[in-house]
Amino acid sequence: MEQTPILKVGPFLLVTIQVDMHDRLVQRLQTDLAERITATGARGVLIDISGLDIVDSFIGRMFGDIAAQARILDAETVVVGMRPAVAITLVELGVRLQGVRTALNVEKGMDLLQAAVAGEEERVGGSPD
Amino acid sequence: MNWTLLTLHVRYETDFVQARQSARQLAEILGFSDREQTRIATAVSEVARNALNYAGGGKVEFLVDGAQRPPLFLVRVSDRGPGIADLSEILEGRYKSQRGLGVGLAGTKRLMDHFDIQSEPGRGTTVSLGRRFPSGAAPFTDKELARVTAELARRPPQNPAEEVQRQNQDLLAALADLRQNQEELLRVNRELEEKTVRLLKTEQSLRARNDELKAFAYTVSHDLKAPLRGIAGYAQELDRRHRAGLSERAVFCLNQIMTATRNLDHLIEDLLHYSRLDAESPSLTEVELGRVVETILRDRSHIIAERKVEIGVDLRVRAVHGWERGITQVLTNLIDNAVKYSRDAQPPSIRIHASELPEAWRITVQDNGIGFDMKYHDRIFGLFNRLVRPEQFEGTGAGLAIVKKLVEKQGGRIWAESEPGRGATFFVELPKQQPEA
């Protein structure tokens, strides 16, 4: 069975989508991510879609679902590397990536995640150490 | 005019990924910008997914509508699913499906220049999507189609999975063809078998009947000869020894009896001859045609002289390898016929000609007699079939039937050409290579 690789980078999980995904592959990714977040205690998920030519309403909605699910598991999700054409098409199509943060590239996405996690810890009262 | 660029069958999820990939590739080849390619591919993805999810699969056709200016890149997705009941609600975006159909169709409509959906509950759905060619694109032509097709074939698959999918597509199409062919073949085969069985049965019964008939013909003609001999004998005795005591009327009756007896005797002789032919096996020798013809003509020199028949013999073949008795009989009957039926011509003329063909020898006997209507061509070769009344021309009607049988026994063929009143030409062709007995 095909599978999208999930890499652990520091406290975050990095998913790089390199091939055009069919629906079940996206659903599988959602399940796999939930398991990996729980297993690693990751605080953030970075999904790099710079390799994706097409994001249609189903895949767009799945990103929303993944983000919602990650939030319940105490992790932030950032989608990075969206091509301009894909972004324009998504808007025209009427898909709103509600609850999904986006960044231009992996680096900026990392920054965003770091900041988000740090901000949250500040609000809670800093690290125990 | 619509050009079809590509047709895909969507049956599995990977197929619809292939569909949107192909949409993108084709859009690129057709000169659409990167942004346009994404739009088109996304729209195809939406619609093809619906076909897969709601109808269990369908067909995606990529076309170019060349009648439009600029031409329209058309994608037609059709399925045979349950159809869509609340179409207008969906298109106005009021419908919210669990799988995202609401956004899909309404959004797709926004992505394309042309959008048309035909659906009836229970009769499937067909969605047509169209996007106008980028401005400045040349009108679409056959040449352009060739370029697109070639380009598409040249593109390497992006990954092994895609290659497998592509082959899967070919396989699905081939499989459907194959199944249809096989069914057709099975049907034809069954029919053929039935016909063969019927034919074999018919052949068997025909053979049996033919044998029966031959035996019958032989027996009948043989058995008829004995009483006929009796009648002829007594009639002769009356004629020779008791003629003086007979009245004029009795002499007339006696003459009639003797004529009829002679005719009947000829008939029986011919019949016997004809049925004996089956049993005879041709023996092959060098047959000198010139000698054969000369002998026949010499035997008939009296009648030829009497009727002032002009005879022309032109034999370009000295000898043929064949069955001497058969060939002699064939020529005898044909020449006798020619003499007989040209009786009233002024003067009668008979030409005998022989020539060599690559595979056969051809002998023709031509006369300037009464001829016949070609519509009776096959009938004249039948046993006892006559086109003329016996008072006109004597004969039993067995002559040509015997000739035909003799020629066919040698693997040859015979036919005639004629016109009423303009003579007849009989053609005999004997193969140089005798068929296996």
Side-chain angles (χ1 to χ4, degrees):
Chain A
M1 172 78 193
E2 296 167 85
Q3 202 172 345
T4 313
I6 302 170
L7 301 176
K8 189 162 185 301
V9 182
F12 307 125
L13 296 179
L14 174 63
V15 180
T16 306
I17 298 171
Q18 280 152 333
V19 294
D20 194 2
M21 297 199 295
H22 56 77
D23 296 358
R24 244 179 316 162
L25 201 56
V26 187
Q27 282 165 330
R28 172 91 194 250
L29 176 63
Q30 188 184 2
T31 325
D32 287 354
L33 264 178
E35 279 169 13
R36 287 299 296 274
I37 292 170
T38 322
T40 59
R43 301 297 313 280
V45 177
L46 206 66
I47 303 177
D48 178 10
I49 60 166
S50 56
L52 267 192
D53 283 343
I54 297 154
V55 175
D56 64 5
S57 63
F58 178 83
I59 300 174
R61 205 159 46 75
M62 286 310 291
F63 288 148
D65 289 355
I66 288 173
Q69 173 193 271
R71 190 163 307 116
I72 294 169
L73 295 172
D74 195 21
E76 286 294 327
T77 303
V78 179
V79 172
V80 302
M82 185 183 291
R83 294 186 177 191
V86 172
I88 292 163
T89 306
L90 272 179
V91 171
E92 281 176 336
L93 194 60
V95 174
R96 311 270 175 262
L97 291 177
Q98 278 164 348
V100 182
R101 293 176 182 216
T102 51
L104 268 188
N105 52 40
V106 177
E107 204 182 342
K108 291 199 164 132
M110 282 286 188
D111 292 348
L112 194 64
L113 276 181
Q114 302 268 13
V117 171
E120 223 170 75
E121 277 170 359
E122 237 165 61
R123 269 206 307 280
V124 178
S127 65
D129 184 88
Chain B
M1 154 147 198
N2 279 353
W3 279 270
T4 302
L5 306 177
L6 182 69
T7 302
L8 291 175
H9 298 272
V10 175
R11 213 148 298 166
Y12 304 104
E13 277 196 348
T14 44
D15 296 335
F16 102 80
V17 172
Q18 170 77 53
R20 66 185 180 214
Q21 295 278 6
S22 298
R24 190 187 180 86
Q25 276 191 348
L26 280 170
E28 189 194 340
I29 295 169
L30 291 174
F32 286 95
S33 69
D34 183 54
R35 208 174 114 188
E36 289 288 297
Q37 292 166 30
T38 304
R39 263 171 196 273
I40 294 166
T42 307
V44 170
S45 180
E46 297 292 338
V47 178
R49 173 183 290 108
N50 283 347
L52 186 66
N53 285 348
Y54 293 95
K59 193 167 72 170
V60 183
E61 293 163 284
F62 297 95
L63 314 143
V64 170
D65 181 355
Q68 310 282 333
R69 288 284 175 272
L72 206 60
F73 178 35
L74 265 182
V75 184
R76 192 154 60 206
V77 182
S78 49
D79 66 56
R80 294 178 186 203
I84 303 171
D86 30 19
L87 199 56
S88 57
E89 269 202 8
I90 292 170
L91 290 178
E92 284 160 23
R94 279 183 274 133
Y95 180 88
K96 287 287 170 219
S97 103
Q98 288 184 316
R99 293 199 246 193
L101 180 80
V103 173
L105 274 188
T108 303
K109 200 174 167 185
R110 281 195 296 275
L111 289 180
M112 303 302 272
D113 296 321
H114 164 89
F115 181 91
D116 176 58
I117 180 163
Q118 303 286 331
S119 184
E120 259 179 79
R123 307 195 56 179
T125 306
T126 300
V127 183
S128 301
L129 308 170
R131 190 78 185 157
R132 276 193 291 276
F133 276 31
S135 57
F140 205 75
T141 56
D142 282 329
K143 202 175 146 197
E144 184 65 2
L145 174 72
R147 181 188 75 85
V148 172
T149 325
E151 181 83 7
L152 196 65
R154 218 165 42 77
R155 301 234 159 174
Q158 297 185 339
N159 57 48
E162 193 180 308
E163 177 60 24
V164 170
Q165 280 160 28
R166 186 168 299 174
Q167 289 180 4
N168 190 36
Q169 281 293 330
D170 291 349
L171 217 59
L172 279 176
L175 216 62
D177 281 356
L178 210 65
R179 197 169 301 137
Q180 199 183 342
N181 282 353
Q182 195 179 357
E183 275 165 19
E184 178 68 12
L185 208 66
L186 277 176
R187 194 184 59 73
V188 171
N189 214 12
R190 249 195 324 273
E191 238 168 60
L192 209 66
E193 267 171 28
E194 280 166 20
K195 273 186 190 158
T196 312
V197 170
R198 262 208 305 276
L199 266 177
L200 276 176
K201 275 188 191 155
T202 314
E203 197 203 340
Q204 262 175 1
S205 79
L206 271 179
R207 269 180 199 283
R209 233 174 260 187
N210 206 17
D211 287 346
E212 238 170 68
L213 269 177
K214 277 181 204 158
F216 178 75
Y218 188 79
T219 317
V220 165
S221 39
H222 205 261
D223 289 356
L224 280 177
K225 283 214 89 152
L228 188 62
R229 214 171 290 127
I231 298 173
Y234 287 119
Q236 254 173 23
E237 193 185 326
L238 272 179
D239 184 44
R240 285 190 194 148
R241 301 205 185 154
H242 309 284
R243 199 180 178 100
L246 292 177
S247 69
E248 197 181 323
R249 175 70 188 166
V251 171
F252 171 76
C253 291
L254 185 61
N255 281 338
Q256 289 299 99
I257 291 173
M258 287 196 298
T259 310
T261 317
R262 248 190 324 272
N263 284 345
L264 191 55
D265 188 53
H266 286 147
L267 203 63
I268 292 170
E269 269 305 320
D270 282 345
L271 191 59
L272 266 175
H273 188 175
Y274 185 80
S275 48
R276 259 193 234 115
L277 281 180
D278 279 314
E280 204 162 334
S281 50
S283 52
L284 304 180
T285 52
E286 284 289 301
V287 183
E288 279 179 49
L289 279 184
R291 196 170 45 75
V292 171
V293 171
E294 196 184 308
T295 309
I296 298 171
L297 290 177
R298 196 171 51 228
D299 289 348
R300 282 148 190 76
S301 55
H302 182 69
I303 193 165
I304 288 170
E306 187 186 350
R307 293 193 186 165
K308 301 192 170 61
V309 183
E310 291 176 357
I311 301 279
V313 179
D314 176 17
L315 304 177
R316 299 184 186 169
V317 180
R318 195 189 62 80
V320 303
H321 186 71
W323 177 29
E324 174 143 19
R325 220 187 67 72
I327 293 170
T328 307
Q329 184 74 62
V330 165
L331 280 171
T332 304
N333 286 15
L334 288 180
I335 290 170
D336 278 349
N337 266 2
V339 170
K340 192 198 300 180
Y341 292 111
S342 63
R343 190 178 62 195
D344 299 329
Q346 295 297 334
S349 157
I350 297 171
R351 320 215 152 268
I352 302 158
H353 181 84
S355 60
E356 185 170 357
L357 304 177
E359 303 281 321
W361 290 289
R362 176 184 283 182
I363 305 168
T364 57
V365 178
Q366 184 180 20
D367 65 53
N368 60 346
I370 60 168
F372 62 89
D373 192 324
M374 281 302 275
K375 70 182 171 192
Y376 301 122
H377 178 272
D378 292 343
R379 247 175 73 183
I380 61 171
F381 294 104
L383 186 60
F384 301 136
N385 275 344
R386 303 202 72 203
L387 300 180
V388 292
R389 288 195 309 278
E391 307 91 84
Q392 266 181 299
F393 291 98
E394 69 290 347
T396 61
L400 284 176
I402 289 172
V403 165
K404 184 172 159 68
K405 197 160 209 177
L406 286 167
V407 169
E408 283 172 359
K409 246 182 133 57
Q410 299 170 77
R413 58 195 191 105
I414 178 164
W415 72 98
E417 284 170 11
S418 183
E419 248 180 86
R422 318 198 84 180
T425 308
F426 284 84
F427 298 84
V428 173
E429 260 182 36
L430 298 173
K432 291 178 179 173
Q433 204 71 41
Q434 289 286 327
E436 295 292 317

